[in-house]
């Protein structure tokens, strides 16, 4: 693990709210996630955008939108901040999340029940049961939905009581198209009526430990509402 990742991760994460401010709808929340202690999250190549939103209990949540951010950490004591990872978020509308057989909630509960914990990504604050409803969720993501050029492993999870799927693999960027480690997560939320697509990509030259630290911090403070 490089100096930038030391002390980072699940026990050293701080929450960061992703939101969009507009003269049309005011402040619209996208997501609350974790950033490793000592790291910074900054605006990416394009500003976050919101196409649709849903107001619940007086708070606006994006139900259709997208965003890109950079994660940076210092290279060492007194060193300059260097880019470590790219964060991509894509939000789409979704129906209520069901808990019947074959649904994401059922798959996640089944995976967690086999050994007393969730498969894949670390879970957020506890693992309450997913909300049940009479409608079926969006279903297992298609291969193209991950945004990964190579998929090495996939699984299901419960994150802060919400069912989802995770994938670990790599993306191919730049010229001559070198592979970069990446993680992806697709999560459904019946409360805010949306499906969240998250992808975290390591920047060139970053050690695997940095991407893992960023991923664990992201999940440790995760809140979709």
């Amino acid at each position: 693990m490089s100096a930038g990742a030391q002390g980072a991760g699940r026990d050293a994460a701080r929450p960061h709210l992703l939101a969009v401010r507009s003269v049309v709808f005011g402040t619209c929340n996208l997501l609350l996630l974790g950033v490793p202690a000592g790291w910074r999250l900054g605006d990416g190549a394009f500003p976050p955008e919101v196409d649709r939103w849903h107001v619940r209990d007086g708070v606006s949540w994006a139900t259709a939108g997208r965003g890109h951010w950079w994660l940076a950490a210092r290279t060492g004591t007194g060193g300059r901040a260097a880019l470590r990872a790219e964060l991509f978020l894509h939000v789409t509308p979704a129906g209520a999340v069901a808990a019947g057989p074959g649904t994401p909630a059922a798959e996640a509960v089944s995976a967690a029940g086999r050994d007393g914990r969730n498969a894949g990504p670390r879970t957020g604050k506890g693992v309450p049961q997913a909300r049940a409803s009479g409608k079926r969720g969006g279903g297992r993501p298609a291969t193209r939905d991950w945004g990964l050029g190579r998929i090495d492993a996939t699984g299901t999870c419960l994150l802060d009581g919400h069912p989802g799927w995770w994938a670990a693999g790599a993306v191919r960027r730049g010229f001559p198209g070198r592979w970069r480690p990446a993680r992806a997560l697709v999560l459904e939320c019946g409360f805010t009526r949306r499906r969240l697509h998250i992808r975290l990509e390591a920047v060139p030259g970053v050690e695997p430990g940095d991407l893992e630290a960023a991923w664990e911090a992201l999940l440790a403070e995760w809140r979709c509402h």
Side-chain angles (χ1 to χ4, degrees):
M1 183 178 291
S2 71
Q6 290 176 1
R10 189 175 174 82
D11 297 326
R14 57 185 178 84
H16 191 104
L17 176 65
L18 303 181
V20 176
R21 293 171 177 81
S22 167
V23 295
V24 177
F25 50 73
T27 298
C28 186
N29 295 325
L30 295 166
L31 179 66
L32 182 75
L33 45 73
V35 175
W39 290 39
R40 293 191 296 107
L41 188 146
D43 293 338
F46 57 90
E49 299 178 349
V50 171
D51 301 321
R52 296 173 59 183
W53 62 93
H54 171 69
V55 179
R56 186 68 184 260
D57 295 338
V59 180
S60 295
W61 298 95
T63 56
R66 66 211 58 82
H68 174 246
W69 295 266
W70 295 103
L71 279 164
R74 296 195 179 280
T75 55
T77 304
R80 66 181 183 85
L83 296 180
R84 300 292 187 183
E86 292 184 72
L87 174 67
F88 296 86
L89 170 65
H90 185 212
V91 184
T92 58
V97 180
T103 63
E107 292 181 3
V109 170
S110 176
R114 284 194 295 268
D115 58 3
R117 60 181 176 82
N118 287 296
R122 299 286 187 88
T123 57
K125 313 291 188 183
V127 191
Q129 294 296 314
R131 297 179 179 85
S133 75
K135 295 183 180 180
R136 185 180 179 86
R140 180 179 294 276
T143 300
R144 64 179 181 276
D145 292 338
W146 294 119
L148 303 177
R150 188 186 74 225
I151 298 176
D152 300 325
T154 63
T156 57
C157 62
L158 278 177
L159 188 58
D160 194 27
H162 293 61
W165 299 268
W166 60 270
V171 293
R172 203 166 188 173
R173 301 284 185 236
F175 182 82
R178 295 181 177 176
W179 289 102
R180 294 159 49 178
R183 293 285 195 93
L185 175 72
V186 177
L187 189 97
E188 294 199 345
C189 176
F191 183 85
T192 55
R193 303 178 186 174
R194 59 192 185 148
R195 174 176 270 211
L196 300 163
H197 304 249
I198 286 280
R199 189 172 71 255
L200 193 65
E201 302 179 7
V203 301
V206 166
E207 297 183 17
D210 281 340
L211 183 67
E212 184 65 22
W215 182 253
E216 292 215 357
L218 182 154
L219 298 177
E221 296 294 338
W222 175 285
R223 290 288 184 279
C224 69
H225 59 80

